[in-house]
Amino acid sequence: MAVSEIKSGIYSVGAIDWDRRLFDELIPLPDGTSYNAYLIKGSDKTALIDTVDPTKEHRLIANLQKLGVEKIDYVVSNHAEQDHSGSIPSVLKLYPQAKVVTNPKCKSMLMDLLLIPEHRFLTVTEGDSLLLGDRTLEFILAPWVHWPETMFTYLKDDKVLFSCDFLGSHLATSELFVSNEAVVYESAKRYYAEIMMPFRTSIKKHLARISTLEIEIIAPSHGPVYHKPQFILDAYREWASDDVKNEVIVPYVSMHGSTSRMIDYFVDALIDRGIIVKQFNLTKTDLGELAMALVDAATIVIGSPTVLVGPHPSAVYAAYLVNALRPKLRFASIIGSYGWGGKMKEQITGMLTNLKVEILEPVVIKGHPREEDFKSLGRLADEILKKHQEHKLV
Ligand code: FEO
């Protein structure tokens, strides 16, 4: 990322990672990402908001040198995760007078994760401010987006909110500001689904908190900067709300075709009833796409054959992920088959304990589906339609 000026004296100095395709060795990043860092020059003091992933440290240092930054007084750490904090030790070496400004919980994590000595810290808490001369930083504690120590930094004079991971997007782009909201919407929704969705309750609180601020620009830690922030605030409000849509998500796996024959019939039955369906073959799907679909849907139906008396491992992985992401689903069910017996249904149901869902009668059959099995699938589709109607989703 080249150095870009957001406003007079406020610069983006982070790094674009065009090639990264996996985060935490788990989350697919089809469009790369960026690690955003921001330099704020006050009349007396200079502050750096966050750093970059250690793999891109040289880009941050080069950007600071390009700007001719001779002195950094404060390195504000909004979040201890290493994609933002990992280059703090090198920045502290380069600027020996700099203090790391963060909250006590983040300080403790930075000491554990990066072995930063205690004397390098200046701790702040909710509502504290830090004078840079003609500019003032204010700190807002915002735990659980998506770690317990996360916070926002607000530059009141310029109405800029530095929101750490919150409201961000995994998107590598050369454009400083959002230019195509449709593209950013998809990347931000993927990011929300994969990272923020389990913390929906905290997210609602933080949205309410920042609605009291005057904000012209939101500068997140990943993806482009929002110069029309209403777009992302509205999207987050919708995603984090309790509203669900007339949608059924169908992640499935099939070994010899019995389960896939059932899924094909069932999905058509849902479409015939006017329900939106998103079907994911778990051996081929990008799990990020599945996570995104879960943001809005009312119902999930997991399809699995029986392997070694239990669910197929791909179905186990999907059920584990769905349970961990805690989407606002209302209903769940299971479709599948077995050769001679097993506990597939019970094991999948037992993995969904985090979800506040009503389990609708599963359809689990022996062997290839017969006429009566298709009727059962039709009954399940009817039941889902009835539930969606009762909840006024249709
Ligand atoms: Fe982008 Fe939670 O780190």
Side-chain angles (χ1 to χ4, degrees):
M1 192 181 279
V3 174
S4 314
E5 193 169 51
I6 295 176
K7 283 185 118 181
S8 175
I10 306 172
Y11 304 90
S12 171
V13 292
I16 303 172
D17 197 337
W18 298 96
D19 299 332
R20 192 155 184 177
R21 287 293 173 270
L22 203 58
F23 198 83
D24 290 344
E25 301 309 289
L26 170 69
I27 297 164
L29 303 182
D31 303 311
T33 190
S34 65
Y35 317 111
N36 301 345
Y38 302 98
L39 190 88
I40 304 170
K41 287 186 174 170
S43 55
D44 291 339
K45 307 277 188 190
T46 298
L48 179 68
I49 311 280
D50 292 313
T51 63
V52 298
D53 190 89
T55 55
K56 296 290 174 192
E57 185 181 292
H58 58 291
R59 304 301 299 261
L60 170 67
I61 303 293
N63 284 343
L64 294 174
Q65 286 168 347
K66 200 187 292 178
L67 263 181
V69 179
E70 289 176 359
K71 180 175 75 99
I72 290 178
D73 301 282
Y74 305 118
V75 181
V76 176
S77 178
N78 281 332
H79 180 19
E81 193 166 10
Q82 292 90 331
D83 52 327
H84 310 296
S85 68
S87 301
I88 292 178
S90 295
V91 171
L92 292 182
K93 258 188 214 149
L94 210 58
Y95 298 95
Q97 76 281 27
K99 291 273 187 195
V100 181
V101 179
T102 194
N103 62 75
K105 196 168 275 179
C106 190
K107 170 187 163 184
S108 164
M109 292 177 82
L110 291 173
M111 289 173 67
D112 288 339
L113 296 172
L114 299 168
L115 310 180
I116 299 173
E118 186 156 22
H119 71 270
R120 298 301 304 260
F121 286 91
L122 178 65
T123 52
V124 292
T125 189
E126 172 67 29
D128 281 357
S129 13
L130 190 62
L131 233 62
L132 305 180
D134 57 348
R135 288 181 150 132
T136 305
L137 300 176
E138 293 182 7
F139 304 101
I140 300 165
L141 299 190
W144 297 113
V145 293
H146 57 122
W147 279 19
E149 86 305 354
T150 40
M151 70 177 198
F152 307 149
T153 300
Y154 179 52
L155 187 55
K156 192 176 180 179
D157 320 79
D158 299 273
K159 301 179 182 140
V160 181
L161 181 73
F162 300 93
S163 61
C164 80
D165 282 342
F166 192 57
L167 310 170
S169 60
H170 278 312
L171 178 64
T173 169
S174 62
E175 293 172 300
L176 173 65
F177 293 108
V178 172
S179 63
N180 185 333
E181 289 186 350
V183 170
V184 177
Y185 182 93
E186 286 298 304
S187 293
K189 187 171 188 181
R190 173 183 281 268
Y191 191 56
Y192 170 86
E194 293 167 340
I195 296 288
M196 301 290 166
M197 189 154 61
F199 308 104
R200 210 161 55 86
T201 308
S202 299
I203 281 168
K204 284 197 243 186
K205 278 185 208 152
H206 300 321
L207 286 170
R209 171 71 179 86
I210 65 172
S211 72
T212 63
L213 307 174
E214 268 192 280
I215 299 174
E216 280 179 6
I217 289 175
I218 291 177
S221 292
H222 296 287
V225 172
Y226 302 95
H227 58 320
K228 295 176 188 163
Q230 205 53 46
F231 140 69
I232 192 65
L233 293 171
D234 287 346
Y236 256 62
R237 273 189 201 108
E238 185 189 337
W239 299 334
S241 77
D242 296 332
D243 301 338
V244 290
K245 293 184 177 161
N246 179 31
E247 292 179 6
V248 178
I249 307 307
V250 185
Y252 78 100
V253 56
S254 184
M255 294 192 304
H256 299 292
S258 298
T259 301
S260 69
R261 182 74 191 87
M262 296 173 77
I263 294 291
D264 286 348
Y265 183 91
F266 176 66
V267 165
D268 282 354
L270 292 171
I271 294 169
D272 286 346
R273 286 158 179 76
I275 297 171
I276 294 167
V277 191
K278 294 178 181 168
Q279 178 180 328
F280 297 92
N281 181 333
L282 291 167
T283 62
K284 303 180 197 304
T285 200
D286 164 352
L287 286 172
E289 296 285 334
L290 172 60
M292 282 169 79
L294 291 166
V295 170
D296 306 306
T299 300
I300 187 168
V301 178
I302 297 174
S304 175
T306 302
V307 188
L308 301 173
V309 306
H312 188 285
S314 294
V316 170
Y317 187 56
Y320 179 86
L321 193 68
V322 170
N323 193 54
L325 292 175
R326 298 172 184 249
K328 52 190 178 185
L329 293 160
R330 305 268 177 87
F331 308 101
S333 193
I334 296 158
I335 283 175
S337 70
Y338 57 90
W340 52 92
K343 298 260 181 210
M344 182 270 280
K345 184 172 63 178
E346 293 78 2
Q347 288 183 16
I348 291 183
T349 309
M351 293 182 70
L352 301 179
T353 50
N354 284 345
L355 305 185
K356 294 183 180 129
V357 290
E358 179 184 345
I359 303 286
L360 306 179
E361 184 60 35
V363 181
V364 178
I365 63 156
K366 188 172 187 190
H368 192 275
R370 299 170 173 81
E371 198 48 43
E372 65 265 27
D373 302 319
F374 291 124
K375 282 186 184 149
S376 299
L377 290 168
R379 274 197 295 276
L380 178 58
D382 283 338
E383 180 70 3
I384 290 170
L385 177 62
K386 187 168 142 238
K387 294 290 181 185
H388 285 200
Q389 285 169 334
E390 285 170 4
H391 284 72
K392 304 196 183 332
L393 307 179
V394 180

